[in-house]
Amino acid sequence: MVIAAALLLGMLLDRLLGEPRRLHPLVGFGRLASGLERKLNRTDAKYPKVYGILAVALLLVPVWLAGNLLWDRALQVQGPWALILGAGSVYFAVGWKALSDHIAPVARALERGNLAGARTAVGRIVSRDCDNLDEAQTARAAIESLLENTSDAVVAPLFWFAIAGLPGVLIYRLSNTLDAMWGYRNRRYRAFGWAAARLDDLLNFIPARITATAFTLFGNRPEALQQWRSCAGHWASPNAGPVIAAGAGALELRLGGGASYHGQWQEKPATAGRVATAADIPRAQALAARAVAATLVLMMLLGFCL
């Protein structure tokens, strides 16, 4: 009962308050991770991946142990402490309102014909170069980010809290942060960030497929299934592929394709469908909202049963 109530209360807090603007716990964790990376990232070492594994362990194992101890204690003590602690951890981990707040300005700018403003807004949430995007490319970038982050920033934290409570959601959120910091395929991070990237892939494997299934259920089901089967495997990421392909099919849109990153063009696979427009962003937001609502209910039921 505590798990289900904490999931609901945590999501309500997120919708009401959004991400904390000051004293966010991830700021301190990010500084600690950056300092550790500077000490342990040895690209010239014989086995550089070992140092990345060590860094992940040093950062996450103490959190796991402390989280387990604190959660077990809260569940044993009479009173509302487990609910407060659980709801707070869900609020800390999910980013549903923040995601909505970043997508909405892109849609508004495109609807007003303000392409420059839309490029600036979408540039805050994607890593591709946005200076020369046209309307369709800008809309596509926003929709792809929305679909992928619905899984990473909302469904996955809900799943891991339902499965493993406080320690589960904390480890997921922090591993996702490490992947965002270290999970690059450049010379500096290719070996050192390998452990963080693989751990994030593992923790997102089931949530990504829950998200893709939800997109399928609330959109064009035959097309979503077709794009999932035929296109998901073309993505380099084992989790982004099913999410974006199923979402594209559900919306009947052509997503994926090439983009410029740091001044270099990178060709990527694309799904079938028509080109995205500004009007498709609200459609994608509605699809994501239905998927999140259904997932929340499912995770509450799962938490209640466990």
Side-chain angles (χ1 to χ4, degrees), residues 17-18 28 38 46 72 79 88 102 127 141 152 155 179 195 199 210-211 234 252 295 297 303:
L17 304 177
R38 286 192 295 270
K46 186 175 181 180
D72 288 344
H102 280 92
S127 57
D152 291 354
V155 173
D179 178 57
L199 178 60
I210 292 174
T211 308
H234 298 162
E252 303 175 44
T295 301
V297 172

Side-chain angles (χ1 to χ4, degrees), residues 127-128 140 144 148 185 231 234-237 240 244 254-261 264-271:
S127 57
R128 71 192 69 180
R140 189 191 86 194
E144 289 171 1
E148 189 170 1
R185 298 183 180 182
C231 297
H234 298 162
W235 263 260
S237 167
I244 294 178
R254 178 182 174 85
L255 300 180
S260 176
Y261 295 85
Q264 294 187 343
W265 182 263
Q266 295 183 19
E267 194 59 48
K268 293 187 176 183
T271 64

Side-chain angles (χ1 to χ4, degrees), residues 4 16 30 41 122 131 181 186 229 243 248 262 274:
L16 289 173
N41 189 359
V122 82
D131 292 343
M181 295 177 66
N186 54 28
R229 285 194 298 262
V243 171
H262 308 294
R274 62 176 177 80

Side-chain angles (χ1 to χ4, degrees), residues 52-291:
I53 295 171
L54 177 62
V56 170
L58 287 173
L59 288 168
L60 297 188
V61 170
V63 173
W64 172 260
L65 295 175
N68 263 303
L69 183 65
L70 187 60
W71 187 236
D72 288 344
R73 180 62 177 164
L75 291 174
Q76 292 169 7
V77 174
Q78 295 294 325
W81 305 115
L83 176 60
I84 294 171
L85 190 62
S89 67
V90 172
Y91 166 62
F92 152 74
V94 300
W96 180 230
K97 187 175 189 300
L99 178 59
S100 301
D101 289 346
H102 280 92
I103 295 294
V106 184
R108 287 196 298 266
L110 287 177
E111 289 168 357
R112 296 168 182 168
N114 182 7
L115 182 56
R119 289 170 176 165
T120 300
V122 82
R124 298 189 181 104
I125 56 174
V126 299
S127 57
R128 71 192 69 180
D129 300 330
C130 299
D131 292 343
N132 298 312
L133 297 182
D134 60 22
E135 177 183 337
Q137 291 169 331
T138 303
R140 189 191 86 194
I143 292 170
E144 289 171 1
S145 179
L146 171 64
L147 297 177
E148 189 170 1
N149 281 290
T150 297
S151 176
D152 291 354
V154 188
V155 173
L158 296 179
F159 172 80
W160 282 110
F161 184 78
I163 292 295
L166 174 68
V169 76
L170 288 180
I171 290 298
Y172 170 75
R173 189 67 180 89
L174 297 181
S175 70
N176 189 249
T177 301
L178 292 180
D179 178 57
M181 295 177 66
W182 300 344
Y184 297 99
R185 298 183 180 182
N186 54 28
R187 184 178 181 277
R188 178 175 178 178
Y189 292 113
R190 183 178 290 110
F192 182 81
W194 175 86
R198 297 294 77 78
L199 178 60
D200 186 68
D201 286 344
L202 177 64
L203 295 179
N204 272 300
F205 187 86
I206 295 176
R209 282 142 187 87
I210 292 174
T211 308
T213 301
F215 289 158
T216 300
L217 292 174
F218 293 108
N220 184 323
R221 296 179 193 176
E223 191 62 23
L225 289 171
Q226 172 62 26
Q227 297 305 315
W228 187 350
R229 285 194 298 262
S230 61
C231 297
H234 298 162
W235 263 260
S237 167
N239 299 320
V243 171
I244 294 178
L251 295 165
E252 303 175 44
L253 295 177
R254 178 182 174 85
L255 300 180
S260 176
Y261 295 85
H262 308 294
Q264 294 187 343
W265 182 263
Q266 295 183 19
E267 194 59 48
K268 293 187 176 183
T271 64
R274 62 176 177 80
V275 173
T277 67
D280 292 310
I281 298 178
R283 292 180 58 236
Q285 289 176 297
L287 175 69
R290 290 192 291 270

